[in-house]
Amino acid sequence: MRKILPQKGIACSFGGPFAQCPPAVAVEDFWRLMCCLHLCLVEIAELSDKSAMLFLSKIAKAILDFALPERCPACGDITPDSNSFCAICWPKIRFLNPPWCAGCAAPFAYEQPEGTLCPDCLATPPRHDGIRAAVAYDTTSRQIALRLKYGGKIGMAKLIARHLVRHLPDDRNNIIVTPVPLHWTRLWSRSFNQSALIGRELARLGEMEYCADLLKRTRRTPSLRGLSSKERRKVVGSAFSANPARTPQISGARILLIDDVLTTGATSNGCIRVLKKSGASWVQLFCWARALRGEALPEYVSDILPT
């Protein structure tokens, strides 16, 4: 008989903690059960009994939800719905919406006439045609970016894309979605580009064209930790180039540039400069979270900056 180890604080539907097998044993039993269910589903499918097939599918989903419950993307606590935030994290997230600057989409404290620019955009007009971020960058939203970028939780890309859909323009003709590229060495070590995952899902949801390689990262940049905005611009200013094979595609196109986090804007500005120089008629930056001027950034923000 297997030894059952009580685990404190594991909730169940009966209202109290319950004993649970050691993790390795539980996983082994779970996969055995799923294999049995799979064989049953295959056999029923061959008999074309769709009602029974649907019934067993519901059973399999219930078992999967029980064994691997949905969790809050920010803190990891169990939640009732897929990719939904828990009751503690939800109030902490600051979703960004109008009224905002017509240039950089920095939030205004109160309603402004359409087309109003913030002081910074009046003083220095931006290269881009707008910024759209789902949330303000803070400790909670930072966790989502870290889980995606360094934790390998690639499902977070779908969560981010779903929150960005509401900012898509109504007219999506001739729009191409493209990510901020990674240098091949970082792509090799990480095995994925987090911005590309977000961009592909956003293009699918918005029924737009997606192109992963409009831009190329020609130089691997060092860590931006501790550098000023001017120094960061200098470091990444010449790190990007247009893909020669895609230059005809860029000319005259409207581009949605995808990044995960916007802090100083040095990286995205380098990409936008190249796209505009290559003939793009309109470039808008979409990102999960953006740092707002005048607000303190979370500690260790530089952990996210190298892209």
Side-chain angles (χ1 to χ4, degrees), residues 186-207:
R186 282 206 170 96
L187 188 59
W188 177 270
S189 62
R190 194 179 300 166
S191 76
F192 65 90
N193 179 349
Q194 71 283 353
S195 299
L197 296 178
I198 298 169
R200 185 184 295 113
E201 179 66 12
L202 184 62
R204 185 187 71 82
L205 294 174
E207 299 180 343

Side-chain angles (χ1 to χ4, degrees), residues 51-270:
S51 61
M53 181 76 172
L54 180 61
F55 175 72
L56 277 182
S57 296
K58 291 180 178 179
I59 293 177
K61 184 180 185 304
I63 293 174
L64 184 62
D65 290 343
F66 178 78
L68 302 172
E70 302 293 348
R71 296 186 178 274
C72 172
C75 69
D77 283 350
I78 294 176
T79 56
D81 301 317
S82 175
N83 287 323
S84 63
F85 294 97
C86 67
I88 295 176
C89 292
W90 179 262
K92 297 179 181 178
I93 299 173
R94 181 181 174 187
F95 291 95
L96 299 180
N97 295 290
W100 52 33
C101 169
C104 68
F108 288 137
Y110 49 86
E111 290 290 340
Q112 297 280 358
E114 186 176 354
T116 300
L117 297 174
C118 68
D120 286 342
C121 287
L122 285 171
T124 308
R127 288 194 179 99
H128 57 70
D129 297 280
I131 297 172
R132 298 294 181 264
V135 299
Y137 185 70
D138 55 24
T139 303
T140 303
S141 61
R142 171 180 177 270
Q143 293 303 316
I144 307 298
L146 288 176
R147 286 173 182 266
L148 169 60
K149 190 168 184 175
Y150 298 121
K153 305 294 185 181
I154 60 176
M156 298 292 180
K158 291 186 176 182
L159 167 75
I160 292 171
R162 282 198 291 271
H163 283 291
L164 285 172
V165 166
R166 60 193 169 93
H167 293 316
L168 289 175
D170 294 331
D171 177 15
R172 299 171 194 171
N173 293 327
N174 195 31
I175 286 185
I176 303 174
V177 180
T178 193
V180 170
L182 288 179
H183 191 265
W184 70 267
T185 55
R186 282 206 170 96
L187 188 59
W188 177 270
S189 62
R190 194 179 300 166
S191 76
F192 65 90
N193 179 349
Q194 71 283 353
S195 299
L197 296 178
I198 298 169
R200 185 184 295 113
E201 179 66 12
L202 184 62
R204 185 187 71 82
L205 294 174
E207 299 180 343
M208 298 172 292
E209 181 181 355
Y210 173 74
C211 185
D213 59 346
L214 286 187
L215 294 168
K216 297 176 65 177
R217 192 153 194 154
T218 57
R219 183 166 58 86
R220 174 167 178 155
T221 54
S223 172
L224 304 180
R225 179 177 300 178
L227 299 182
S228 66
S229 297
K230 184 177 180 180
E231 290 170 331
R232 287 173 180 169
R233 287 194 296 269
K234 184 177 180 180
V235 168
V236 302
S238 59
F240 303 98
S241 68
N243 185 347
R246 300 292 187 183
T247 302
Q249 195 172 353
I250 297 174
S251 181
R254 301 165 67 205
I255 309 292
L256 284 187
L257 179 66
I258 310 299
D259 205 355
D260 54 349
V261 172
L262 174 67
T263 50
T264 64
T267 299
S268 56
N269 282 338

Side-chain angles (χ1 to χ4, degrees), residues 262-277:
L262 174 67
T263 50
T264 64
T267 299
S268 56
N269 282 338
C271 294
I272 292 165
R273 180 183 58 81
V274 170
L275 289 170
K276 287 291 186 79
K277 187 177 180 180

Side-chain angles (χ1 to χ4, degrees), residues 275-288:
L275 289 170
K276 287 291 186 79
K277 187 177 180 180
S278 300
S281 62
W282 179 90
V283 181
Q284 200 168 76
L285 175 65
F286 270 54
C287 60
W288 160 240

Side-chain angles (χ1 to χ4, degrees), residues 38-50 52-53 56:
H38 173 72
L39 293 175
C40 291
L41 292 174
V42 171
E43 182 177 352
I44 291 174
E46 291 177 352
L47 296 176
S48 299
D49 188 344
K50 293 184 178 180
M53 181 76 172
L56 277 182

Side-chain angles (χ1 to χ4, degrees), residues 21-49:
C21 295
V25 174
V27 170
E28 180 183 351
D29 289 345
F30 168 71
W31 284 113
R32 284 178 180 171
L33 179 58
M34 293 304 294
C35 289
C36 291
L37 283 172
H38 173 72
L39 293 175
C40 291
L41 292 174
V42 171
E43 182 177 352
I44 291 174
E46 291 177 352
L47 296 176
S48 299
D49 188 344

